[in-house]
Amino acid sequence: DPLHMAIMDVLNEFKILTTELLRLEVNYKGELASFRKVLRSLMNKKVIASIREAKNRPNFLFLKKTKIDTSTLFHDFKTAEIALKLKSHPLNPIVTLAHNLDSKELIPDAILDFKKFKVFLELELSMKSETKLKKKITHYINTPSDVQIFYIFRLERDLLRYKEVIQTLMSKLNPTKRLELGERKFMLILDTEIHKEFDLKRAEVHMSGEKESLEKTLGLDKPSEDLT
């Protein structure tokens, strides 16, 4: 069944989604009730499963074969939701989430390949230890020049702490390396209402003492032909 295959392919790509997001991604045109019937059929066949993190949050759907960590459910779902939003960019990036990356050491939550450049996405819902933070940022400083790091936070205090660590580590580089990296190597993004649907207009990019929407940073406030 083509619809069954589409559902499986999307869940393999994004790991965990709500019914609504899955329905949109497979471009199902029928009624929601009909789509839920399809999902129940796949659950009965033990192809997919569902789990609810909390009473006030929706069911999350995933492939039965996928290893799910209940302690990171919300983080994993939000990463998938943000990746889906960014995937809709007119430049059509190829999206790969962490569970589909080969390496298991110092990998981002997701990689978006825009062909001419790549974005490493990190969703920071809790503060890392100082040691882990410095290790990962140092690793990212040494990534190729066509790689940008998007750090997304829900708390401004975490954003400011990361900014401080990044500035400290960057200050230790020689001037040529700092110039090569530029001010846009690390994009620090704040969304204090990330528990809601991720919004590119609401999410704020903090850089050089200024703020602008992620939508503007990505050029999505312009006609799509201006981006190609």
Side-chain angles (χ1 to χ4, degrees):
D1 186 305
L3 178 57
H4 286 190
M5 292 301 298
I7 289 170
M8 291 166 64
D9 286 345
V10 169
L11 288 178
N12 183 59
E13 183 178 4
F14 291 97
K15 187 175 181 179
I16 183 167
L17 290 173
T18 59
T19 300
E20 290 74 15
L21 282 178
L22 180 57
R23 182 185 178 211
L24 284 172
E25 190 59 16
V26 300
N27 198 29
Y28 185 77
K29 302 296 186 182
E31 296 292 330
L32 179 58
S34 298
F35 188 62
R36 284 178 171 155
K37 186 176 180 181
V38 173
L39 295 178
R40 282 196 297 273
S41 172
L42 288 172
M43 288 180 191
N44 290 336
K45 294 176 181 177
K46 301 189 183 302
V47 174
I48 67 173
S50 69
I51 190 170
R52 187 189 295 271
E53 182 193 25
K55 288 183 179 180
N56 61 337
R57 287 182 178 159
N59 281 333
F60 297 130
L61 300 166
F62 57 94
L63 291 176
K64 189 76 173 176
K65 66 178 184 179
T66 302
K67 184 179 179 181
I68 295 295
D69 184 346
T70 56
S71 67
T72 62
L73 272 180
F74 184 68
H75 174 278
D76 293 346
F77 163 66
K78 273 295 162 182
T79 299
E81 182 192 45
I82 294 167
L84 273 173
K85 291 276 187 178
L86 297 177
K87 184 184 178 184
S88 65
H89 192 285
L91 294 181
N92 300 312
I94 297 171
V95 177
T96 309
L97 269 62
H99 69 285
N100 284 325
L101 292 171
D102 293 334
S103 174
K104 296 302 177 185
E105 183 178 358
L106 295 178
I107 60 172
D109 292 323
I111 295 177
L112 293 95
D113 189 344
F114 288 85
K115 295 182 180 178
K116 292 184 178 180
F117 66 97
K118 292 180 180 180
V119 168
F120 285 12
L121 179 67
E122 291 278 12
L123 177 58
E124 302 297 311
L125 299 181
S126 59
M127 191 70 187
K128 285 185 172 67
S129 70
E130 190 83 0
T131 301
K132 286 184 179 180
L133 180 54
K134 288 181 177 179
K135 183 178 181 181
K136 198 152 199 182
I137 290 174
T138 299
H139 171 70
Y140 284 152
I141 284 174
N142 293 306
T143 54
S145 58
D146 64 346
V147 172
Q148 276 188 302
I149 317 302
F150 279 23
Y151 272 114
I152 300 178
F153 307 88
R154 65 176 169 186
L155 297 176
E156 188 170 12
R157 71 185 184 199
D158 291 346
L159 182 150
L160 293 174
R161 181 60 185 137
Y162 275 61
K163 182 179 181 181
E164 180 184 343
V165 173
I166 290 169
Q167 289 176 339
T168 298
L169 292 173
M170 294 277 278
S171 69
K172 296 178 182 179
L173 303 174
N174 65 59
T176 303
K177 180 66 174 177
R178 285 203 302 272
L179 185 62
E180 177 190 327
L181 291 173
E183 294 184 353
R184 299 174 73 89
K185 179 69 173 180
F186 292 92
M187 307 295 283
L188 305 184
I189 302 158
L190 181 65
D191 183 2
T192 58
E193 297 184 274
I194 204 166
H195 57 284
K196 299 179 181 178
E197 181 181 352
F198 188 73
D199 189 332
L200 297 174
K201 292 182 179 180
R202 185 181 67 230
E204 292 181 336
V205 179
H206 291 229
M207 54 184 179
S208 304
E210 299 182 355
K211 302 175 185 178
E212 67 179 25
S213 72
L214 181 55
E215 179 187 56
K216 183 176 181 180
T217 299
L218 294 172
L220 296 176
D221 59 336
K222 302 173 183 177
S224 59
E225 57 267 21
D226 292 348
L227 301 172
T228 56

